[in-house]
Amino acid sequence: MNVGPAGVTANLWTLIRAQALARHWELSDALFAEIDGFALVQGWAINRRRTRHSYRDPRFDRVVACSTCGGEGKGEGGHACRTCKGDGLLNFFEPPRRRRR
């Protein structure tokens, strides 16, 4: 048995698995470096799994369906919803739109 730096005993297969995992992460970093760099510049969240990376723009967390029209964009009589102006979506951090006079 081998004793690691933390005083934990590990057998040979555990060490081989750990080294294979480290090599896998190195390869993954090399393959996804350009895409990850782009995502970081854009401010996206990167979720890394073993063989895949998924990207999400956190700005979508601020968008919700309009509660007045139910996200359809149409109000009474088939006209555009007055709350969302026919978009069907509301942005939490966007100031309310003012009417032009």
Side-chain angles (χ1 to χ4, degrees):
M1 294 282 177
N2 296 326
V3 179
V8 177
T9 58
N11 62 23
L12 182 62
W13 291 112
T14 303
L15 295 174
I16 291 173
R17 262 187 261 139
Q19 287 182 349
L21 186 59
R23 298 289 182 254
H24 177 77
W25 278 103
E26 289 174 9
L27 180 61
S28 176
D29 286 344
L31 290 174
F32 288 98
E34 185 176 355
I35 301 168
D36 286 349
F38 176 79
L40 286 172
V41 169
Q42 298 296 320
W44 295 351
I46 303 170
N47 187 8
R48 296 176 60 174
R49 299 284 181 202
R50 285 189 177 198
T51 58
R52 65 181 181 198
H53 292 196
S54 61
Y55 308 94
R56 188 171 197 306
D57 190 343
R59 291 180 293 180
F60 286 111
D61 295 336
R62 298 185 258 176
V63 178
V64 295
C66 176
S67 59
T68 306
C69 65
E72 293 183 14
K74 295 183 179 179
E76 297 175 13
H79 300 292
C81 175
R82 295 176 66 183
T83 307
C84 65
K85 304 294 186 210
D87 292 336
L89 300 172
L90 298 174
N91 188 336
F92 279 133
F93 296 104
E94 185 178 292
R97 298 178 187 168
R98 292 186 179 177
R99 281 193 196 177
R100 292 186 179 174
R101 293 183 182 186

